[in-house]
């Protein structure tokens, strides 16, 4: 299984907006609206932040939003806060496997 | 949302079998809404699917681990289990049980807290 490609790190100052990309292929991100995003703080389990590209589970701040263009999905965090400093992973359905794909992970740093 | 809790030994000797159990609460494991999943994370690394099981007993495994993995389900105890045989140091990781959406396995809405398993003599 090949992983989806994410930047290793993204940083921003409090109050700014940042965007994390997640690049796949036409077998996964490009042809299916089944992309999720997870936030993981150190020593904690991942938490679902976005599903089906744009949907937020109940309780997730509306500062988190998702989108997709072609083979690349994106997670945008608006009004960056210190508590947003964490690792973020994307995941996508793939027609190539019965298991979905995870992204390589992005460390978000709040400056 | 269900709640999940892993249990099992934190230390396993090389060549032995790693065995973990995940207790499901707040919902029934025979719900057709979820795949009951195992995911691991090597220290400082990303997430890796191990596999999952559906309430019917159907299983799906990561091809890279398939020859060593067994996931089973016990409806009477509302729990599911992972066995990974012939472990090596490369299997040292945090192991998570999780529930992923039946309609799309990339949507994992509940996770256990994770349990660190170290493979060492």
């Amino acid at each position: 299984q090949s992983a989806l490609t994410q930047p290793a790190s993204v940083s921003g100052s409090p109050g700014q907006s940042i965007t994390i990309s997640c690049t796949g292929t036409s077998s996964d991100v490009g042809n299916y609206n089944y992309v999720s995003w997870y936030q993981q703080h150190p020593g904690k389990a991942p938490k679902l932040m976005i599903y089906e590209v744009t949907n937020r589970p109940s309780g997730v701040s509306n500062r988190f939003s998702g989108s997709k263009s072609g083979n690349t999905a994106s997670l945008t965090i608006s009004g960056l806060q210190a508590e947003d400093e964490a690792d973020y992973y994307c995941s996508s359905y793939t027609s190539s496997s019965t298991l979905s794909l995870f992204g390589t992970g992005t460390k978000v740093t709040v400056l | 949302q269900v709640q999940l809790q892993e249990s099992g030994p934190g230390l396993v000797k090389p060549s032995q079998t790693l065995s973990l159990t995940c207790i499901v609460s707040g919902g029934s494991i025979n719900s057709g809404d979820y795949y009951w999943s195992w995911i691991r994370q090597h220290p400082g690394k990303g997430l890796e699917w191990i596999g999952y099981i559906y309430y019917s007993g159907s299983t799906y495994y990561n091809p890279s681990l398939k020859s060593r993995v067994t996931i089973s389900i016990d409806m009477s105890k509302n729990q599911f289990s992972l066995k990974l045989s012939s472990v090596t140091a490369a299997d040292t990781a945090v192991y998570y049980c999780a529930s992923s959406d039946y309609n799309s396995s990339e949507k994992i809405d509940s996770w256990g807290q994770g349990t660190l398993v170290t493979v060492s003599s």
Side-chain angles (χ1 to χ4, degrees), chain B:
Chain B
Q1 266 186 340
V2 297
Q3 291 79 49
L4 305 166
Q5 177 67 57
E6 306 91 351
S7 64
L11 181 65
V12 180
K13 288 182 167 51
S15 80
Q16 293 191 341
T17 296
L18 177 161
S19 295
L20 296 173
T21 296
C22 182
I23 298 173
V24 179
S25 58
S28 175
I29 204 166
N30 65 9
S31 161
D33 294 335
Y34 299 112
Y35 288 119
W36 304 103
S37 306
W38 288 98
I39 294 160
R40 70 180 183 179
Q41 188 170 33
H42 293 101
K45 302 297 184 182
L47 301 167
E48 178 185 29
W49 276 104
I50 298 172
Y52 51 69
I53 189 166
Y54 194 49
Y55 81 103
S56 63
S58 297
T59 53
Y60 304 91
Y61 299 140
N62 186 327
S64 69
L65 299 170
K66 187 174 182 178
S67 63
R68 299 193 291 130
V69 173
T70 302
I71 298 176
S72 58
I73 198 165
D74 186 337
M75 292 191 193
S76 67
K77 296 182 179 178
N78 221 41
Q79 65 186 39
F80 61 107
S81 299
L82 168 70
K83 290 187 185 299
L84 181 65
S85 64
S86 305
V87 297
T88 69
D91 294 310
T92 293
V94 174
Y95 287 76
Y96 294 100
C97 62
S99 60
S100 54
D101 192 278
Y102 171 70
N103 290 309
S104 183
S105 64
E106 99 296 343
K107 181 188 176 189
I108 306 165
D109 53 11
S110 291
W111 298 71
Q113 65 183 27
T115 186
L116 174 63
V117 178
T118 301
V119 178
S120 175
S121 55

Side-chain angles (χ1 to χ4, degrees), chain A residues 41-106:
Chain A
H41 287 111
K44 300 294 186 183
K47 174 187 175 184
L48 180 67
M49 304 300 284
I50 296 287
Y51 66 96
E52 293 172 7
V53 179
T54 61
N55 295 321
R56 273 188 313 275
S58 174
V60 172
S61 170
N62 60 9
R63 297 186 299 104
F64 292 84
S65 61
S67 62
K68 192 185 82 167
S69 178
N71 292 340
T72 299
S74 298
L75 174 70
T76 298
I77 309 174
S78 305
L80 198 62
Q81 299 180 1
E83 66 205 49
D84 300 331
E85 187 161 291
D87 293 327
Y88 291 83
Y89 294 91
C90 62
S91 181
S92 172
Y93 170 86
T94 173
S95 60
S96 303
S97 170
T98 51
L99 298 173
S100 58
L101 296 175
F102 283 117
T104 50
T106 298

